[in-house]
């Protein structure tokens, strides 16, 4: 994952340097939702051989995207989370999920203006989780740790251990159609988009787990619709506005002491250290007013005992709004307030499981607890902007962010409240680029 974003930043720098002083440019932030086709062919063949109806095809997609246009050249990235349709088999729920991070390179067929048509190609990395778990969640943490075997979980490039675990090549080819809508209450344009094309894994059997290939879970046609904020070059205020993207690495000053107490009592090793995170911050500014999105992934992982490993993971997504307090000689200070969503997931996985079809016939090996809630945070940020040219058209941004997260939900794993773990202070360091 770090290599992927290093490539992203380097390509951005090269492209920005080549585009300085020339033509039109714009920055855009999108929220995207849609559907795609995917057929778990080999697993469905297993079900058919047993006289069981196949799983439903397709999955739903939710994600964010950021892109920059330099004349007719378009460069950006997208981060997606995909949920497959759930199916039931006896007392079990069968489900699969994937996450993907893409670098997009495209070419605009239309001149800079309100309407645009872009052809793009993407290269990226991904994560896959396939689950067959009992429908009923355990009522207590004691009962769960005494008998955690409630199905099986198969993961590849397990981002529950951290976003740096993203891996295996994925590609995509498609078209993007968009239109700018001006609103009286804001100077930025609202841009609505539609994206359609085909996603696929270029290498055969790259997504094989326990004797079954899940390549088709990563492949299929898609249609996505989205809307976002765009800074088109034809707007007069453009020189007073910016929209930048930042790679974050952070440390949270909290420990899962409540959970560790239970783990020690039932003979499991406790989690050591503090959760770290990799994430992205998209931060826009218009005449001192700040807005944007944060997404980051906290992770603790380790060996639970000689037979099992475990992870404690939390994904946080925030919408932010704030004000720049100081901006002089490339030094910036600002405050942000964020409101968002966070989940919390504890996995207890057996290291050795049989291959299919035996795994389907004897599924009880792993345990999984999850919960979610809302969060709020205040944040102070310090940044240094290093111009890439005398025209100061593009800046490299080095930043530090200090904040405190406040859970607005109960965050209970079974009967164990985890609010004290979710709450806490953090520090994040960012590196990004701002046109």
């Amino acid at each position: 994952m770090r290599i992927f974003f290093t490539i992203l930043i380097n390509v951005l720098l090269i492209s920005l340097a080549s585009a300085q002083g020339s033509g039109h440019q714009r920055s855009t932030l999108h929220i995207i939702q849609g559907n795609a086709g995917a057929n778990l062919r080999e697993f469905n063949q297993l079900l058919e051989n047993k006289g069981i109806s196949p799983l439903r095809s397709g999955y739903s997609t939710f994600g964010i995207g950021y892109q920059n246009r330099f004349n007719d050249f378009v460069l950006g990235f997208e981060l997606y989370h995909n949920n497959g349709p759930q199916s039931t088999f006896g007392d079990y729920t069968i489900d699969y999920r994937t996450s993907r991070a893409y670098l997009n390179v495209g070419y605009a067929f239309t001149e800079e203006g309100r309407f645009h048509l872009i052809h793009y190609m993407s290269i990226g990395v991904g994560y896959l989780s396939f689950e067959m778990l009992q429908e009923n969640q355990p009522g207590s943490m004691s009962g769960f740790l005494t008998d955690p075997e409630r199905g099986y979980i198969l993961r590849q490039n397990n981002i529950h251990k951290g976003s740096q675990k993203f891996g295996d090549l994925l590609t995509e080819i498609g078209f993007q159609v968009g239109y700018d809508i001006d609103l009286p209450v804001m100077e930025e344009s609202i841009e609505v988009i539609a994206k359609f094309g085909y996603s696929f894994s270029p290498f055969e059997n790259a997504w094989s787990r326990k004797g079954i290939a899940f390549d088709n879970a990563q492949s299929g046609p898609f249609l996505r619709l989205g809307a976002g904020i765009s800074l088109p070059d034809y707007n007069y205020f453009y020189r007073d506005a910016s929209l930048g993207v930042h790679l974050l690495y952070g440390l949270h000053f909290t420990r899962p002491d409540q959970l560790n107490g239970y783990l020690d009592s039932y003979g499991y090793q406790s989690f050591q250290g503090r959760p770290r995170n990799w994430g992205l911050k998209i931060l826009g500014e218009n005449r001192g007013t700040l807005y944007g999105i944060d997404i980051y992934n906290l992770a603790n992982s380790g060996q639970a005992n000689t037979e099992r490993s475990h992870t404690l993971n939390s994904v946080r997504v925030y919408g932010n709004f704030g004000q720049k307090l100081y901006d002089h000689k490339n030094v910036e200070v600002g405050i942000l307030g964020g409101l968002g969503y966070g989940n919390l997931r504890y996995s207890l996985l057996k290291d050795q499981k049989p291959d299919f079809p035996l795994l389907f016939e004897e599924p009880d090996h792993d345990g999984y607890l999850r919960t979610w809630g809302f969060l709020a945070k205040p944040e102070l940020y310090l940044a240094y902007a290093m111009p890439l040219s005398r025209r100061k058209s593009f800046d490299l941004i080095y930043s530090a962010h200090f904040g405190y997260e406040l859970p607005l939900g109960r965050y209970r794993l079974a009967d164990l409240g985890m609010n004290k773990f979710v709450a806490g202070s953090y520090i994040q360091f960012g590196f990004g680029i701002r046109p």
Side-chain angles (χ1 to χ4, degrees), residues 182-196:
D182 292 335
L183 298 179
V185 296
M186 60 188 300
E187 294 175 312
E188 295 91 340
S189 295
I190 297 296
E191 184 175 69
V192 293
I193 67 167
K195 300 171 73 76
F196 54 94

Side-chain angles (χ1 to χ4, degrees), residues 234-303:
Y234 58 77
N235 275 10
Y236 73 91
F237 84 103
Y238 185 77
R239 297 299 178 186
D240 297 316
S242 65
L243 188 61
V245 58
H246 311 259
L247 175 64
L248 295 176
Y249 174 74
L251 176 65
H252 286 242
F253 298 98
T254 181
R255 298 179 189 273
D257 294 331
Q258 302 144 292
L259 178 59
N260 280 342
Y262 271 91
L263 295 176
D264 291 338
S265 300
Y266 287 87
Y268 298 102
Q269 296 183 34
S270 58
F271 289 106
Q272 302 299 315
R274 302 182 185 276
R276 290 170 169 79
N277 71 76
W278 286 94
L280 290 167
K281 177 186 286 287
I282 302 174
L283 185 62
E285 179 194 352
N286 183 354
R287 299 176 181 174
T289 299
L290 304 173
Y291 58 87
I293 292 176
D294 290 352
I295 179 168
Y296 44 88
N297 180 30
L298 280 69
N300 286 94
S301 62
Q303 199 67 28

